[in-house]
mmCIF file of all heavy atoms in Angstrom:
data_model
loop_
_atom_site.group_PDB
_atom_site.id
_atom_site.type_symbol
_atom_site.label_atom_id
_atom_site.label_comp_id
_atom_site.label_asym_id
_atom_site.label_seq_id
_atom_site.Cartn_x
_atom_site.Cartn_y
_atom_site.Cartn_z
ATOM 1 N N MET J 1 -53.298 12.906 49.870
ATOM 2 C CA MET J 1 -52.726 12.903 48.544
ATOM 3 C C MET J 1 -52.169 11.514 48.197
ATOM 4 O O MET J 1 -51.991 11.230 47.039
ATOM 5 C CB MET J 1 -51.611 13.945 48.441
ATOM 6 C CG MET J 1 -52.011 15.371 48.768
ATOM 7 S SD MET J 1 -52.612 16.404 47.428
ATOM 8 C CE MET J 1 -51.530 16.147 46.106
ATOM 9 N N GLU J 2 -51.909 10.694 49.204
ATOM 10 C CA GLU J 2 -51.329 9.368 48.969
ATOM 11 C C GLU J 2 -52.348 8.248 49.145
ATOM 12 O O GLU J 2 -51.976 7.108 49.360
ATOM 13 C CB GLU J 2 -50.141 9.148 49.929
ATOM 14 C CG GLU J 2 -49.029 10.163 49.782
ATOM 15 C CD GLU J 2 -48.376 10.105 48.412
ATOM 16 O OE1 GLU J 2 -48.214 9.011 47.869
ATOM 17 O OE2 GLU J 2 -48.041 11.185 47.885
ATOM 18 N N ASP J 3 -53.617 8.559 49.053
ATOM 19 C CA ASP J 3 -54.676 7.563 49.242
ATOM 20 C C ASP J 3 -54.707 6.607 48.063
ATOM 21 O O ASP J 3 -54.920 7.006 46.924
ATOM 22 C CB ASP J 3 -56.024 8.276 49.388
ATOM 23 C CG ASP J 3 -57.119 7.366 49.885
ATOM 24 O OD1 ASP J 3 -57.034 6.141 49.666
ATOM 25 O OD2 ASP J 3 -58.067 7.886 50.491
ATOM 26 N N GLU J 4 -54.492 5.337 48.347
ATOM 27 C CA GLU J 4 -54.503 4.321 47.288
ATOM 28 C C GLU J 4 -55.914 3.847 46.955
ATOM 29 O O GLU J 4 -56.120 3.180 45.953
ATOM 30 C CB GLU J 4 -53.632 3.138 47.701
ATOM 31 C CG GLU J 4 -52.175 3.511 47.859
ATOM 32 C CD GLU J 4 -51.328 2.355 48.343
ATOM 33 O OE1 GLU J 4 -51.813 1.211 48.371
ATOM 34 O OE2 GLU J 4 -50.165 2.600 48.701
ATOM 35 N N TRP J 5 -56.888 4.172 47.806
ATOM 36 C CA TRP J 5 -58.255 3.686 47.613
ATOM 37 C C TRP J 5 -59.198 4.742 47.063
ATOM 38 O O TRP J 5 -60.222 4.415 46.477
ATOM 39 C CB TRP J 5 -58.822 3.145 48.923
ATOM 40 C CG TRP J 5 -58.108 1.919 49.409
ATOM 41 C CD1 TRP J 5 -57.548 0.948 48.630
ATOM 42 C CD2 TRP J 5 -57.868 1.551 50.749
ATOM 43 N NE1 TRP J 5 -56.983 -0.010 49.417
ATOM 44 C CE2 TRP J 5 -57.167 0.342 50.732
ATOM 45 C CE3 TRP J 5 -58.168 2.128 51.969
ATOM 46 C CZ2 TRP J 5 -56.778 -0.321 51.873
ATOM 47 C CZ3 TRP J 5 -57.775 1.468 53.116
ATOM 48 C CH2 TRP J 5 -57.092 0.269 53.058
ATOM 49 N N GLN J 6 -58.897 5.999 47.284
ATOM 50 C CA GLN J 6 -59.803 7.071 46.843
ATOM 51 C C GLN J 6 -58.972 8.168 46.182
ATOM 52 O O GLN J 6 -58.107 8.768 46.814
ATOM 53 C CB GLN J 6 -60.545 7.640 48.057
ATOM 54 C CG GLN J 6 -61.744 8.434 47.721
ATOM 55 C CD GLN J 6 -62.890 7.571 47.220
ATOM 56 O OE1 GLN J 6 -62.822 6.372 47.170
ATOM 57 N NE2 GLN J 6 -63.951 8.187 46.827
ATOM 58 N N ALA J 7 -59.261 8.432 44.947
ATOM 59 C CA ALA J 7 -58.493 9.432 44.195
ATOM 60 C C ALA J 7 -58.804 10.850 44.661
ATOM 61 O O ALA J 7 -59.922 11.150 45.085
ATOM 62 C CB ALA J 7 -58.814 9.312 42.702
ATOM 63 N N VAL J 8 -57.817 11.713 44.582
ATOM 64 C CA VAL J 8 -57.993 13.123 44.948
ATOM 65 C C VAL J 8 -59.069 13.758 44.068
ATOM 66 O O VAL J 8 -59.809 14.634 44.521
ATOM 67 C CB VAL J 8 -56.650 13.886 44.836
ATOM 68 C CG1 VAL J 8 -56.859 15.377 45.024
ATOM 69 C CG2 VAL J 8 -55.660 13.358 45.857
ATOM 70 N N ALA J 9 -59.194 13.290 42.846
ATOM 71 C CA ALA J 9 -60.220 13.833 41.944
ATOM 72 C C ALA J 9 -61.618 13.679 42.549
ATOM 73 O O ALA J 9 -62.474 14.551 42.380
ATOM 74 C CB ALA J 9 -60.145 13.143 40.589
ATOM 75 N N TYR J 10 -61.855 12.585 43.249
ATOM 76 C CA TYR J 10 -63.160 12.384 43.883
ATOM 77 C C TYR J 10 -63.372 13.408 44.998
ATOM 78 O O TYR J 10 -64.468 13.952 45.156
ATOM 79 C CB TYR J 10 -63.272 10.962 44.430
ATOM 80 C CG TYR J 10 -64.618 10.674 45.035
ATOM 81 C CD1 TYR J 10 -65.760 10.602 44.243
ATOM 82 C CD2 TYR J 10 -64.756 10.492 46.405
ATOM 83 C CE1 TYR J 10 -67.004 10.353 44.800
ATOM 84 C CE2 TYR J 10 -65.992 10.237 46.967
ATOM 85 C CZ TYR J 10 -67.107 10.170 46.166
ATOM 86 O OH TYR J 10 -68.335 9.927 46.721
ATOM 87 N N ALA J 11 -62.330 13.689 45.769
ATOM 88 C CA ALA J 11 -62.433 14.697 46.830
ATOM 89 C C ALA J 11 -62.741 16.062 46.234
ATOM 90 O O ALA J 11 -63.560 16.815 46.764
ATOM 91 C CB ALA J 11 -61.138 14.738 47.632
ATOM 92 N N ARG J 12 -62.090 16.373 45.140
ATOM 93 C CA ARG J 12 -62.350 17.665 44.479
ATOM 94 C C ARG J 12 -63.788 17.722 43.966
ATOM 95 O O ARG J 12 -64.438 18.760 44.029
ATOM 96 C CB ARG J 12 -61.363 17.871 43.348
ATOM 97 C CG ARG J 12 -59.945 18.062 43.841
ATOM 98 C CD ARG J 12 -59.016 18.432 42.704
ATOM 99 N NE ARG J 12 -57.626 18.286 43.036
ATOM 100 C CZ ARG J 12 -56.922 19.085 43.822
ATOM 101 N NH1 ARG J 12 -57.513 20.114 44.385
ATOM 102 N NH2 ARG J 12 -55.648 18.859 44.060
ATOM 103 N N ARG J 13 -64.291 16.606 43.463
ATOM 104 C CA ARG J 13 -65.685 16.558 42.995
ATOM 105 C C ARG J 13 -66.651 16.787 44.156
ATOM 106 O O ARG J 13 -67.623 17.541 44.025
ATOM 107 C CB ARG J 13 -65.959 15.215 42.335
ATOM 108 C CG ARG J 13 -67.375 15.073 41.857
ATOM 109 C CD ARG J 13 -67.591 13.754 41.185
ATOM 110 N NE ARG J 13 -69.014 13.502 41.113
ATOM 111 C CZ ARG J 13 -69.545 12.309 41.070
ATOM 112 N NH1 ARG J 13 -68.790 11.247 41.069
ATOM 113 N NH2 ARG J 13 -70.837 12.156 41.016
ATOM 114 N N LEU J 14 -66.395 16.136 45.286
ATOM 115 C CA LEU J 14 -67.249 16.346 46.453
ATOM 116 C C LEU J 14 -67.235 17.798 46.891
ATOM 117 O O LEU J 14 -68.269 18.373 47.235
ATOM 118 C CB LEU J 14 -66.806 15.453 47.614
ATOM 119 C CG LEU J 14 -67.134 13.986 47.496
ATOM 120 C CD1 LEU J 14 -66.509 13.218 48.662
ATOM 121 C CD2 LEU J 14 -68.631 13.757 47.452
ATOM 122 N N GLN J 15 -66.062 18.406 46.869
ATOM 123 C CA GLN J 15 -65.962 19.817 47.244
ATOM 124 C C GLN J 15 -66.813 20.680 46.326
ATOM 125 O O GLN J 15 -67.497 21.599 46.768
ATOM 126 C CB GLN J 15 -64.510 20.278 47.210
ATOM 127 C CG GLN J 15 -64.363 21.731 47.605
ATOM 128 C CD GLN J 15 -62.962 22.253 47.403
ATOM 129 O OE1 GLN J 15 -62.177 21.683 46.660
ATOM 130 N NE2 GLN J 15 -62.651 23.343 48.058
ATOM 131 N N ARG J 16 -66.788 20.398 45.042
ATOM 132 C CA ARG J 16 -67.610 21.160 44.089
ATOM 133 C C ARG J 16 -69.101 20.940 44.333
ATOM 134 O O ARG J 16 -69.899 21.865 44.228
ATOM 135 C CB ARG J 16 -67.285 20.736 42.656
ATOM 136 C CG ARG J 16 -66.112 21.401 42.037
ATOM 137 C CD ARG J 16 -66.060 21.170 40.528
ATOM 138 N NE ARG J 16 -66.390 19.818 40.115
ATOM 139 C CZ ARG J 16 -65.499 18.827 39.966
ATOM 140 N NH1 ARG J 16 -64.237 19.044 40.190
ATOM 141 N NH2 ARG J 16 -65.889 17.628 39.579
ATOM 142 N N ASP J 17 -69.467 19.695 44.653
ATOM 143 C CA ASP J 17 -70.879 19.331 44.760
ATOM 144 C C ASP J 17 -71.521 19.686 46.102
ATOM 145 O O ASP J 17 -72.739 19.770 46.196
ATOM 146 C CB ASP J 17 -71.065 17.831 44.506
ATOM 147 C CG ASP J 17 -70.783 17.453 43.063
ATOM 148 O OD1 ASP J 17 -70.682 18.357 42.204
ATOM 149 O OD2 ASP J 17 -70.645 16.242 42.793
ATOM 150 N N ILE J 18 -70.712 19.872 47.134
ATOM 151 C CA ILE J 18 -71.249 20.178 48.461
ATOM 152 C C ILE J 18 -71.019 21.660 48.746
ATOM 153 O O ILE J 18 -69.888 22.098 48.942
ATOM 154 C CB ILE J 18 -70.585 19.305 49.547
ATOM 155 C CG1 ILE J 18 -70.829 17.831 49.250
ATOM 156 C CG2 ILE J 18 -71.113 19.702 50.921
ATOM 157 C CD1 ILE J 18 -70.035 16.887 50.140
ATOM 158 N N ARG J 19 -72.106 22.408 48.741
ATOM 159 C CA ARG J 19 -72.008 23.863 48.948
ATOM 160 C C ARG J 19 -71.338 24.182 50.278
ATOM 161 O O ARG J 19 -71.678 23.624 51.318
ATOM 162 C CB ARG J 19 -73.404 24.473 48.906
ATOM 163 C CG ARG J 19 -73.367 25.998 48.865
ATOM 164 C CD ARG J 19 -74.736 26.599 48.769
ATOM 165 N NE ARG J 19 -75.327 26.588 50.109
ATOM 166 C CZ ARG J 19 -76.598 26.389 50.367
ATOM 167 N NH1 ARG J 19 -77.450 26.185 49.414
ATOM 168 N NH2 ARG J 19 -77.046 26.392 51.600
ATOM 169 N N GLY J 20 -70.360 25.062 50.244
ATOM 170 C CA GLY J 20 -69.670 25.485 51.443
ATOM 171 C C GLY J 20 -68.560 24.545 51.906
ATOM 172 O O GLY J 20 -67.920 24.812 52.923
ATOM 173 N N ALA J 21 -68.349 23.453 51.183
ATOM 174 C CA ALA J 21 -67.316 22.489 51.586
ATOM 175 C C ALA J 21 -65.918 23.064 51.375
ATOM 176 O O ALA J 21 -65.683 23.837 50.453
ATOM 177 C CB ALA J 21 -67.463 21.202 50.788
ATOM 178 N N THR J 22 -65.026 22.672 52.253
ATOM 179 C CA THR J 22 -63.616 23.037 52.106
ATOM 180 C C THR J 22 -62.820 21.747 51.973
ATOM 181 O O THR J 22 -63.166 20.759 52.598
ATOM 182 C CB THR J 22 -63.083 23.751 53.357
ATOM 183 O OG1 THR J 22 -64.100 24.028 54.258
ATOM 184 C CG2 THR J 22 -62.393 25.018 53.022
ATOM 185 N N LEU J 23 -61.796 21.785 51.204
ATOM 186 C CA LEU J 23 -60.967 20.600 50.991
ATOM 187 C C LEU J 23 -59.571 20.883 51.510
ATOM 188 O O LEU J 23 -58.968 21.899 51.165
ATOM 189 C CB LEU J 23 -60.916 20.257 49.498
ATOM 190 C CG LEU J 23 -60.034 19.081 49.102
ATOM 191 C CD1 LEU J 23 -60.506 17.789 49.761
ATOM 192 C CD2 LEU J 23 -60.005 18.938 47.587
ATOM 193 N N HIS J 24 -59.087 19.988 52.349
ATOM 194 C CA HIS J 24 -57.725 20.077 52.874
ATOM 195 C C HIS J 24 -56.990 18.810 52.456
ATOM 196 O O HIS J 24 -57.449 17.712 52.765
ATOM 197 C CB HIS J 24 -57.728 20.200 54.397
ATOM 198 C CG HIS J 24 -58.489 21.369 54.892
ATOM 199 N ND1 HIS J 24 -57.947 22.636 54.933
ATOM 200 C CD2 HIS J 24 -59.767 21.488 55.320
ATOM 201 C CE1 HIS J 24 -58.853 23.474 55.401
ATOM 202 N NE2 HIS J 24 -59.968 22.802 55.628
ATOM 203 N N LEU J 25 -55.908 18.972 51.756
ATOM 204 C CA LEU J 25 -55.121 17.837 51.294
ATOM 205 C C LEU J 25 -53.807 17.779 52.069
ATOM 206 O O LEU J 25 -53.185 18.813 52.318
ATOM 207 C CB LEU J 25 -54.830 17.958 49.796
ATOM 208 C CG LEU J 25 -56.062 18.022 48.889
ATOM 209 C CD1 LEU J 25 -55.642 18.302 47.452
ATOM 210 C CD2 LEU J 25 -56.858 16.726 48.976
ATOM 211 N N TYR J 26 -53.403 16.581 52.424
ATOM 212 C CA TYR J 26 -52.160 16.371 53.162
ATOM 213 C C TYR J 26 -51.233 15.514 52.309
ATOM 214 O O TYR J 26 -51.548 14.364 52.002
ATOM 215 C CB TYR J 26 -52.434 15.658 54.487
ATOM 216 C CG TYR J 26 -53.400 16.406 55.365
ATOM 217 C CD1 TYR J 26 -54.761 16.122 55.317
ATOM 218 C CD2 TYR J 26 -52.956 17.392 56.217
ATOM 219 C CE1 TYR J 26 -55.654 16.818 56.113
ATOM 220 C CE2 TYR J 26 -53.842 18.087 57.020
ATOM 221 C CZ TYR J 26 -55.191 17.790 56.963
ATOM 222 O OH TYR J 26 -56.061 18.492 57.745
ATOM 223 N N GLU J 27 -50.104 16.077 51.944
ATOM 224 C CA GLU J 27 -49.173 15.368 51.069
ATOM 225 C C GLU J 27 -48.685 14.069 51.692
ATOM 226 O O GLU J 27 -48.481 13.085 50.991
ATOM 227 C CB GLU J 27 -47.981 16.258 50.732
ATOM 228 C CG GLU J 27 -48.350 17.414 49.824
ATOM 229 C CD GLU J 27 -47.157 18.255 49.433
ATOM 230 O OE1 GLU J 27 -46.031 17.728 49.452
ATOM 231 O OE2 GLU J 27 -47.365 19.429 49.117
ATOM 232 N N GLU J 28 -48.524 14.046 52.994
ATOM 233 C CA GLU J 28 -47.944 12.880 53.667
ATOM 234 C C GLU J 28 -48.977 11.833 54.078
ATOM 235 O O GLU J 28 -48.635 10.845 54.686
ATOM 236 C CB GLU J 28 -47.153 13.336 54.898
ATOM 237 C CG GLU J 28 -48.008 13.833 56.058
ATOM 238 C CD GLU J 28 -48.496 15.282 55.953
ATOM 239 O OE1 GLU J 28 -48.293 15.939 54.925
ATOM 240 O OE2 GLU J 28 -49.086 15.753 56.932
ATOM 241 N N ALA J 29 -50.251 12.066 53.775
ATOM 242 C CA ALA J 29 -51.305 11.198 54.291
ATOM 243 C C ALA J 29 -51.959 10.373 53.194
ATOM 244 O O ALA J 29 -52.090 10.796 52.061
ATOM 245 C CB ALA J 29 -52.362 12.034 54.999
ATOM 246 N N GLY J 30 -52.391 9.177 53.606
ATOM 247 C CA GLY J 30 -53.133 8.296 52.714
ATOM 248 C C GLY J 30 -54.594 8.255 53.127
ATOM 249 O O GLY J 30 -55.188 9.260 53.504
ATOM 250 N N HIS J 31 -55.168 7.063 53.109
ATOM 251 C CA HIS J 31 -56.597 6.892 53.360
ATOM 252 C C HIS J 31 -56.966 7.134 54.832
ATOM 253 O O HIS J 31 -58.058 7.589 55.123
ATOM 254 C CB HIS J 31 -57.026 5.494 52.933
ATOM 255 C CG HIS J 31 -58.496 5.308 52.868
ATOM 256 N ND1 HIS J 31 -59.269 5.853 51.873
ATOM 257 C CD2 HIS J 31 -59.341 4.655 53.693
ATOM 258 C CE1 HIS J 31 -60.536 5.528 52.068
ATOM 259 N NE2 HIS J 31 -60.614 4.808 53.168
ATOM 260 N N PHE J 32 -56.059 6.831 55.736
ATOM 261 C CA PHE J 32 -56.354 6.941 57.167
ATOM 262 C C PHE J 32 -55.694 8.203 57.725
ATOM 263 O O PHE J 32 -54.618 8.168 58.313
ATOM 264 C CB PHE J 32 -55.893 5.680 57.897
ATOM 265 C CG PHE J 32 -56.567 4.453 57.370
ATOM 266 C CD1 PHE J 32 -55.925 3.628 56.467
ATOM 267 C CD2 PHE J 32 -57.867 4.147 57.750
ATOM 268 C CE1 PHE J 32 -56.557 2.502 55.962
ATOM 269 C CE2 PHE J 32 -58.515 3.027 57.247
ATOM 270 C CZ PHE J 32 -57.859 2.198 56.350
ATOM 271 N N LEU J 33 -56.375 9.322 57.534
ATOM 272 C CA LEU J 33 -55.803 10.623 57.868
ATOM 273 C C LEU J 33 -55.353 10.735 59.322
ATOM 274 O O LEU J 33 -54.280 11.262 59.604
ATOM 275 C CB LEU J 33 -56.815 11.735 57.577
ATOM 276 C CG LEU J 33 -57.122 11.994 56.114
ATOM 277 C CD1 LEU J 33 -58.196 13.049 55.991
ATOM 278 C CD2 LEU J 33 -55.869 12.389 55.376
ATOM 279 N N MET J 34 -56.172 10.285 60.246
ATOM 280 C CA MET J 34 -55.833 10.443 61.657
ATOM 281 C C MET J 34 -54.609 9.634 62.057
ATOM 282 O O MET J 34 -53.962 9.942 63.045
ATOM 283 C CB MET J 34 -57.028 10.073 62.546
ATOM 284 C CG MET J 34 -58.153 11.087 62.494
ATOM 285 S SD MET J 34 -57.672 12.767 62.939
ATOM 286 C CE MET J 34 -57.276 12.583 64.660
ATOM 287 N N GLU J 35 -54.293 8.595 61.320
ATOM 288 C CA GLU J 35 -53.078 7.835 61.600
ATOM 289 C C GLU J 35 -51.867 8.455 60.910
ATOM 290 O O GLU J 35 -50.766 8.458 61.467
ATOM 291 C CB GLU J 35 -53.239 6.389 61.136
ATOM 292 C CG GLU J 35 -54.239 5.603 61.949
ATOM 293 C CD GLU J 35 -54.394 4.176 61.460
ATOM 294 O OE1 GLU J 35 -53.533 3.697 60.688
ATOM 295 O OE2 GLU J 35 -55.381 3.539 61.848
ATOM 296 N N ASP J 36 -52.071 8.963 59.715
ATOM 297 C CA ASP J 36 -50.952 9.477 58.921
ATOM 298 C C ASP J 36 -50.572 10.915 59.261
ATOM 299 O O ASP J 36 -49.405 11.291 59.148
ATOM 300 C CB ASP J 36 -51.287 9.400 57.431
ATOM 301 C CG ASP J 36 -51.461 7.971 56.946
ATOM 302 O OD1 ASP J 36 -50.977 7.048 57.624
ATOM 303 O OD2 ASP J 36 -52.078 7.786 55.875
ATOM 304 N N ALA J 37 -51.534 11.721 59.641
ATOM 305 C CA ALA J 37 -51.272 13.146 59.934
ATOM 306 C C ALA J 37 -52.142 13.596 61.105
ATOM 307 O O ALA J 37 -52.985 14.480 60.960
ATOM 308 C CB ALA J 37 -51.547 13.987 58.695
ATOM 309 N N PRO J 38 -51.961 12.984 62.286
ATOM 310 C CA PRO J 38 -52.887 13.260 63.394
ATOM 311 C C PRO J 38 -52.915 14.708 63.868
ATOM 312 O O PRO J 38 -53.996 15.234 64.141
ATOM 313 C CB PRO J 38 -52.394 12.330 64.516
ATOM 314 C CG PRO J 38 -50.999 11.971 64.151
ATOM 315 C CD PRO J 38 -50.915 12.044 62.656
ATOM 316 N N LEU J 39 -51.782 15.360 63.971
ATOM 317 C CA LEU J 39 -51.776 16.726 64.513
ATOM 318 C C LEU J 39 -52.437 17.744 63.583
ATOM 319 O O LEU J 39 -53.300 18.508 64.035
ATOM 320 C CB LEU J 39 -50.354 17.140 64.886
ATOM 321 C CG LEU J 39 -49.730 16.319 66.015
ATOM 322 C CD1 LEU J 39 -48.307 16.781 66.284
ATOM 323 C CD2 LEU J 39 -50.574 16.382 67.266
ATOM 324 N N PRO J 40 -52.097 17.783 62.294
ATOM 325 C CA PRO J 40 -52.781 18.774 61.447
ATOM 326 C C PRO J 40 -54.273 18.486 61.282
ATOM 327 O O PRO J 40 -55.078 19.417 61.238
ATOM 328 C CB PRO J 40 -52.045 18.709 60.112
ATOM 329 C CG PRO J 40 -51.180 17.520 60.150
ATOM 330 C CD PRO J 40 -51.009 17.123 61.581
ATOM 331 N N VAL J 41 -54.646 17.208 61.238
ATOM 332 C CA VAL J 41 -56.068 16.875 61.098
ATOM 333 C C VAL J 41 -56.818 17.283 62.368
ATOM 334 O O VAL J 41 -57.884 17.898 62.299
ATOM 335 C CB VAL J 41 -56.270 15.376 60.786
ATOM 336 C CG1 VAL J 41 -57.739 15.000 60.855
ATOM 337 C CG2 VAL J 41 -55.694 15.033 59.419
ATOM 338 N N ALA J 42 -56.267 16.969 63.519
ATOM 339 C CA ALA J 42 -56.912 17.342 64.783
ATOM 340 C C ALA J 42 -57.059 18.857 64.890
ATOM 341 O O ALA J 42 -58.107 19.357 65.328
ATOM 342 C CB ALA J 42 -56.122 16.796 65.962
ATOM 343 N N ALA J 43 -56.041 19.585 64.483
ATOM 344 C CA ALA J 43 -56.115 21.047 64.532
ATOM 345 C C ALA J 43 -57.239 21.566 63.642
ATOM 346 O O ALA J 43 -57.972 22.493 64.030
ATOM 347 C CB ALA J 43 -54.779 21.660 64.104
ATOM 348 N N GLN J 44 -57.422 20.967 62.485
ATOM 349 C CA GLN J 44 -58.493 21.435 61.597
ATOM 350 C C GLN J 44 -59.865 21.045 62.119
ATOM 351 O O GLN J 44 -60.821 21.802 61.951
ATOM 352 C CB GLN J 44 -58.281 20.912 60.185
ATOM 353 C CG GLN J 44 -57.107 21.639 59.555
ATOM 354 C CD GLN J 44 -57.054 21.473 58.076
ATOM 355 O OE1 GLN J 44 -57.139 20.362 57.573
ATOM 356 N NE2 GLN J 44 -56.898 22.577 57.384
ATOM 357 N N VAL J 45 -59.972 19.891 62.763
ATOM 358 C CA VAL J 45 -61.249 19.506 63.371
ATOM 359 C C VAL J 45 -61.598 20.488 64.489
ATOM 360 O O VAL J 45 -62.736 20.945 64.601
ATOM 361 C CB VAL J 45 -61.206 18.051 63.885
ATOM 362 C CG1 VAL J 45 -62.424 17.731 64.739
ATOM 363 C CG2 VAL J 45 -61.094 17.072 62.730
ATOM 364 N N ILE J 46 -60.626 20.830 65.307
ATOM 365 C CA ILE J 46 -60.858 21.792 66.393
ATOM 366 C C ILE J 46 -61.293 23.140 65.826
ATOM 367 O O ILE J 46 -62.250 23.754 66.316
ATOM 368 C CB ILE J 46 -59.597 21.921 67.266
ATOM 369 C CG1 ILE J 46 -59.392 20.633 68.062
ATOM 370 C CG2 ILE J 46 -59.686 23.134 68.193
ATOM 371 C CD1 ILE J 46 -58.039 20.514 68.732
ATOM 372 N N ASP J 47 -60.614 23.601 64.791
ATOM 373 C CA ASP J 47 -61.007 24.868 64.156
ATOM 374 C C ASP J 47 -62.433 24.798 63.622
ATOM 375 O O ASP J 47 -63.210 25.736 63.782
ATOM 376 C CB ASP J 47 -60.050 25.219 63.015
ATOM 377 C CG ASP J 47 -58.686 25.648 63.503
ATOM 378 O OD1 ASP J 47 -58.532 25.948 64.713
ATOM 379 O OD2 ASP J 47 -57.760 25.670 62.665
ATOM 380 N N PHE J 48 -62.784 23.687 62.997
ATOM 381 C CA PHE J 48 -64.124 23.503 62.443
ATOM 382 C C PHE J 48 -65.183 23.578 63.543
ATOM 383 O O PHE J 48 -66.181 24.286 63.419
ATOM 384 C CB PHE J 48 -64.201 22.164 61.704
ATOM 385 C CG PHE J 48 -65.562 21.832 61.179
ATOM 386 C CD1 PHE J 48 -66.041 22.435 60.033
ATOM 387 C CD2 PHE J 48 -66.364 20.910 61.828
ATOM 388 C CE1 PHE J 48 -67.305 22.135 59.541
ATOM 389 C CE2 PHE J 48 -67.622 20.597 61.344
ATOM 390 C CZ PHE J 48 -68.094 21.211 60.201
ATOM 391 N N VAL J 49 -64.954 22.855 64.633
ATOM 392 C CA VAL J 49 -65.909 22.848 65.743
ATOM 393 C C VAL J 49 -66.021 24.243 66.355
ATOM 394 O O VAL J 49 -67.114 24.706 66.677
ATOM 395 C CB VAL J 49 -65.502 21.786 66.800
ATOM 396 C CG1 VAL J 49 -66.336 21.918 68.059
ATOM 397 C CG2 VAL J 49 -65.640 20.391 66.210
ATOM 398 N N ASN J 50 -64.899 24.916 66.510
ATOM 399 C CA ASN J 50 -64.938 26.280 67.056
ATOM 400 C C ASN J 50 -65.699 27.227 66.143
ATOM 401 O O ASN J 50 -66.448 28.091 66.618
ATOM 402 C CB ASN J 50 -63.527 26.798 67.309
ATOM 403 C CG ASN J 50 -62.885 26.150 68.516
ATOM 404 O OD1 ASN J 50 -63.566 25.690 69.421
ATOM 405 N ND2 ASN J 50 -61.559 26.095 68.511
ATOM 406 N N ASP J 51 -65.518 27.086 64.838
ATOM 407 C CA ASP J 51 -66.251 27.939 63.886
ATOM 408 C C ASP J 51 -67.757 27.700 63.995
ATOM 409 O O ASP J 51 -68.543 28.650 63.921
ATOM 410 C CB ASP J 51 -65.784 27.672 62.458
ATOM 411 C CG ASP J 51 -64.403 28.247 62.182
ATOM 412 O OD1 ASP J 51 -63.903 29.074 62.989
ATOM 413 O OD2 ASP J 51 -63.803 27.850 61.155
ATOM 414 N N ILE J 52 -68.157 26.452 64.153
ATOM 415 C CA ILE J 52 -69.590 26.147 64.309
ATOM 416 C C ILE J 52 -70.124 26.814 65.565
ATOM 417 O O ILE J 52 -71.226 27.350 65.578
ATOM 418 C CB ILE J 52 -69.823 24.623 64.348
ATOM 419 C CG1 ILE J 52 -69.585 24.025 62.969
ATOM 420 C CG2 ILE J 52 -71.228 24.299 64.822
ATOM 421 C CD1 ILE J 52 -69.629 22.513 62.928
ATOM 422 N N GLY J 53 -69.342 26.803 66.629
ATOM 423 C CA GLY J 53 -69.762 27.417 67.886
ATOM 424 C C GLY J 53 -69.950 28.920 67.784
ATOM 425 O O GLY J 53 -70.711 29.500 68.545
ATOM 426 N N ARG J 54 -69.294 29.540 66.822
ATOM 427 C CA ARG J 54 -69.426 30.997 66.643
ATOM 428 C C ARG J 54 -70.621 31.376 65.778
ATOM 429 O O ARG J 54 -70.940 32.537 65.648
ATOM 430 C CB ARG J 54 -68.151 31.551 66.004
ATOM 431 C CG ARG J 54 -66.970 31.514 66.923
ATOM 432 C CD ARG J 54 -65.765 32.203 66.292
ATOM 433 N NE ARG J 54 -64.563 31.650 66.862
ATOM 434 C CZ ARG J 54 -63.692 30.893 66.216
ATOM 435 N NH1 ARG J 54 -63.858 30.597 64.949
ATOM 436 N NH2 ARG J 54 -62.628 30.411 66.822
ATOM 437 N N MET J 55 -71.263 30.417 65.153
ATOM 438 C CA MET J 55 -72.394 30.718 64.254
ATOM 439 C C MET J 55 -73.622 31.104 65.026
ATOM 440 O O MET J 55 -73.913 30.803 66.062
ATOM 441 C CB MET J 55 -72.707 29.516 63.358
ATOM 442 C CG MET J 55 -71.611 29.232 62.397
ATOM 443 S SD MET J 55 -72.054 27.793 61.391
ATOM 444 C CE MET J 55 -71.194 28.196 59.914
#
């Protein structure tokens, strides 16, 4: 939500344009998510990988 280089509107557009995409926004994070919010981002990556493994 605090990204100075890429507007949230662009993320919302990508979510609309990519079928099945999910958008997760972090109020405390800017452009470098893994530096700004490492624990919640890592948790979502782990969940994503686990979901793929169940397919």
Side-chain angles (χ1 to χ4, degrees):
M1 303 270 315
E2 301 297 322
D3 193 334
E4 296 177 11
W5 294 327
Q6 197 72 3
V8 172
Y10 183 68
R12 292 187 195 286
R13 179 179 163 207
L14 286 175
Q15 181 188 19
R16 276 193 318 269
D17 292 347
I18 300 171
R19 190 178 80 215
T22 353
L23 177 61
H24 302 278
L25 301 173
Y26 302 93
E27 290 183 25
E28 71 278 6
H31 193 73
F32 301 99
L33 291 176
M34 289 303 293
E35 292 179 15
D36 296 340
L39 296 178
V41 171
Q44 288 196 310
V45 169
I46 290 168
D47 288 345
F48 176 77
V49 170
N50 286 335
D51 287 346
I52 289 173
R54 290 186 206 111
M55 293 179 150

